[in-house]
Amino acid sequence: MPRRTARTSRTPRADRPAPAAAPPPAAACPCGLPASYGECCGALHAGKAAAPTAERLMRSRYAAFAAGDAAYLLRTWAAATRPPELDLDPEVRWTGLDILGRTGGSAFHAEGTVEFRARYRLRGQDGEQRENSRFVREGGLWVYVEALA
């Protein structure tokens, strides 16, 4: 499974590949919606818009993993469960996202869940991560809280 861990220092290592870069604004958005990155998750990553639903936040967080945007991931993580830093594995290449289910999480809810399958490639091997994530509103904005069992 790909590494997504918190750590207290960021020491660059010469033996690791460079982190992923954000897609160009006109490229297809990694989240899977039929829009360009600049019009979709890129706008959320840049702080030009906020996710209106828990699912859109989930999609934008997946796109942030694909783009190597740890700062966005930390900004959209609930204060009570947010790690001090995030160490993304630069060898992981995220290759697709499927939303499997959701509860709540609309403009009319204060919390919700999103069950998803995220596909990746690591050291020549395909893999997937399945999770049912819990989201709540904090200061009016959707934030990720935790993975549910």
Side-chain angles (χ1 to χ4, degrees):
M1 180 166 307
R3 187 174 65 231
R4 174 176 74 167
T5 59
R7 61 183 230 183
T8 57
S9 66
R10 285 183 85 65
T11 307
R13 291 181 42 193
D15 63 333
R16 294 179 75 178
C29 193
C31 82
L33 292 177
S36 70
Y37 173 72
E39 295 172 343
C40 192
C41 293
L44 278 67
H45 296 171
K48 295 177 182 174
T53 65
E55 180 182 332
R56 281 291 288 124
L57 182 63
M58 172 58 238
R59 288 180 178 277
S60 72
R61 287 177 56 83
Y62 169 83
F65 275 105
D69 190 345
Y72 179 78
L73 293 165
L74 290 169
R75 275 195 321 272
T76 58
W77 206 314
T81 57
R82 179 187 314 130
E85 291 191 25
L86 199 58
D87 181 21
L88 301 178
D89 189 337
E91 294 185 49
V92 174
R93 296 294 174 237
W94 295 95
T95 59
L97 175 68
D98 299 311
I99 302 299
L100 305 174
R102 66 191 73 67
T103 62
S106 78
F108 304 105
H109 295 101
E111 63 181 77
T113 65
V114 179
E115 184 179 359
F116 67 91
R117 174 180 44 234
R119 294 180 305 284
Y120 63 88
R121 188 155 184 82
L122 176 61
R123 292 186 216 60
Q125 299 292 318
D126 292 327
E128 67 178 43
Q129 175 181 336
R130 287 179 177 245
E131 184 174 306
N132 191 15
S133 296
R134 181 172 164 247
F135 297 88
V136 298
R137 288 188 186 265
E138 220 171 69
L141 301 174
W142 285 106
V143 293
Y144 168 80
V145 179
E146 64 191 342
L148 301 173

